[in-house]
Amino acid sequence: MIKKGVVVKFTGCSQDQHAWGNHTGDFTKLVVGERYTVERVEIHSWHTKVFLEGIEGSFNSVCFKGVIA
């Protein structure tokens, strides 16, 4: 489960995945395989928005995989 404080790995994101839910973060600045810490999460009926520490905007949760520390 993705929640505040969890470390996630960016797995990549298509333009369609990013557009679903009007995400505002620039996913092209994220690096596939890099780890990021979740600042907050917004759960909606059909998608979940993830906000990352130190990175502006929201991202689609399907573009990340949870990492066990």
Side-chain angles (χ1 to χ4, degrees), residues 1-9 35-41 50-53 64-69:
M1 175 182 212
I2 296 178
K3 60 183 182 177
K4 181 179 179 169
V6 169
V7 175
V8 293
K9 184 188 299 184
R35 296 173 180 203
Y36 301 91
T37 302
V38 175
E39 182 176 282
R40 70 183 171 100
V41 175
V50 175
F51 297 81
L52 305 172
E53 287 184 0
F64 300 90
K65 183 176 183 174
V67 174
I68 298 173

Side-chain angles (χ1 to χ4, degrees), residues 1-47:
M1 175 182 212
I2 296 178
K3 60 183 182 177
K4 181 179 179 169
V6 169
V7 175
V8 293
K9 184 188 299 184
F10 182 59
T11 57
C13 197
S14 71
Q15 189 63 41
D16 289 336
Q17 288 171 320
H18 185 66
W20 180 260
N22 298 314
H23 299 283
T24 58
D26 184 357
F27 73 89
T28 64
K29 293 185 178 181
L30 300 180
V31 178
V32 172
E34 284 292 316
R35 296 173 180 203
Y36 301 91
T37 302
V38 175
E39 182 176 282
R40 70 183 171 100
V41 175
E42 286 182 8
I43 298 172
H44 298 268
S45 59
W46 290 95
H47 69 284

